[in-house]
Amino acid sequence: WCLDNHPFQNVKVGEGAEQEGFQYHSILNKFWEACGHFSEIANVPIPQIDSPDDFKWSSVETDQTMFPDLQIKLVKEIISTGGVLSSIPIQDTSKDYLTPKEWHHEMQKMKMNGNDDNTVLIDCRNHKEFAVGHFENAIDPNTKNFAQFPRWVQENKSSLQDKKVLMYCTGGIRCEKASAYIRKEMEGISVHHLKGGIHKYLDEYSNTGFFNGKNFVFDKRLVVNADEHKISKDKDN
């Protein structure tokens, strides 16, 4: 609906990074205006974003169409938890971010301290994603889907108590909800999560950081080598 009512073909496409950046922002502004209009018609709350990172542009060298179509839906949860996490207010998910640089520093400290017992590093993704790649010394909750994560938290409260908890996922969506859930269930606990997820971290550090293996992604590629992110970043800049 938003695309049909605000066609993007009128946006001029220039050459070079500045024109490309302008094109992206023009498209985003038009789309955002349309979303607001859609909210009025559908009688639903106007969408809110916390930062420009909520919209992530990526460049991929491929002849394939990664996402052949676009679907816009009204859903209670972006990633289903069976309703367990649907009641968490959005403002509670936007707390205690760590930028890729800050996260990298935390990984360095953990390595220097021999995987400090006072720090717990949790992978919020599913086991199949963890199996192809993860951060050093990360805990695998061994879940088949995100709906199982709250149960894992309940079963492991004692091992999380009085710890500094670091969490990450692919793009930052799941760990926003997961970190908010832990704060809700364990008052006073220190919980931080990687802003932008593995994707943004690899854009910064590629294969020179602390992520080992491949990043599981949700398009036709399925998995992406760490050094491929460096190629994409250099191309954009």
Side-chain angles (χ1 to χ4, degrees):
W1 187 94
C2 294
L3 295 179
D4 289 341
N5 285 271
H6 285 264
F8 294 158
Q9 60 264 30
N10 293 329
V11 178
K12 295 182 179 180
V13 180
E15 296 180 357
E18 292 184 3
Q19 287 84 352
E20 187 177 68
F22 177 77
Q23 176 203 1
Y24 285 159
H25 283 91
S26 297
I27 291 174
L28 181 56
N29 286 335
K30 286 180 177 289
F31 180 76
W32 197 246
E33 291 171 4
C35 285
H37 188 39
F38 173 81
S39 297
E40 294 177 8
I41 294 176
N43 194 29
V44 296
I46 296 176
Q48 297 181 1
I49 62 172
D50 302 310
S51 73
D53 281 345
D54 287 339
F55 290 89
K56 294 184 290 187
W57 302 99
S58 299
S59 178
V60 178
E61 292 186 352
T62 178
D63 295 330
Q64 299 184 65
T65 300
M66 294 292 98
F67 299 99
D69 53 22
L70 171 66
Q71 295 182 347
I72 299 176
K73 299 179 180 180
L74 297 177
V75 296
K76 292 183 178 180
E77 296 182 287
I78 297 177
I79 300 176
S80 177
T81 62
V84 176
L85 304 185
S86 61
S87 62
I88 294 178
I90 189 170
Q91 60 266 25
D92 290 349
T93 67
S94 308
K95 297 179 179 179
D96 297 324
Y97 286 122
L98 291 177
T99 65
K101 184 177 180 179
E102 292 169 333
W103 181 269
H104 188 74
H105 182 61
E106 291 293 334
M107 298 297 102
Q108 287 177 322
K109 287 198 300 184
M110 286 186 66
K111 187 169 185 176
M112 289 176 59
N113 296 333
N115 193 22
D116 184 5
D117 290 339
N118 292 320
T119 301
V120 178
L121 177 60
I122 304 174
D123 191 319
C124 295
R125 303 171 303 158
N126 305 331
H127 174 69
K128 66 178 182 180
E129 299 169 72
F130 180 92
V132 297
H134 54 268
F135 282 98
E136 295 178 16
N137 300 314
I139 294 174
D140 174 18
N142 200 30
T143 57
K144 292 182 179 179
N145 54 62
F146 190 49
Q148 295 178 349
F149 187 81
R151 184 179 65 187
W152 180 87
V153 172
Q154 294 297 328
E155 293 173 350
N156 291 271
K157 276 187 175 182
S158 60
S159 61
L160 300 178
Q161 193 69 48
D162 300 322
K163 304 288 187 180
K164 178 179 181 179
V165 178
L166 304 177
M167 311 177 72
Y168 69 91
C169 57
T170 304
I173 296 175
R174 282 175 283 185
C175 52
E176 285 195 344
K177 282 292 185 77
S179 61
Y181 178 75
I182 291 181
R183 291 190 203 97
K184 174 176 174 290
E185 294 296 308
M186 303 178 67
E187 187 175 350
I189 192 171
S190 173
V191 185
H192 301 268
H193 52 109
L194 175 58
K195 189 173 182 65
I198 298 168
H199 183 92
K200 287 296 185 182
Y201 178 84
L202 292 181
D203 277 351
E204 291 286 337
Y205 293 97
S206 184
N207 59 352
T208 66
F210 290 94
F211 186 84
N212 297 325
K214 300 180 180 181
N215 186 24
F216 188 97
V217 295
F218 299 92
D219 56 45
K220 292 181 179 179
R221 296 171 296 170
L222 295 181
V223 293
V224 178
N225 290 315
D227 56 4
E228 291 184 51
H229 283 259
K230 194 70 173 181
I231 294 172
S232 296
K233 185 181 180 184
D234 287 346
K235 180 182 177 183
D236 288 343
N237 291 338

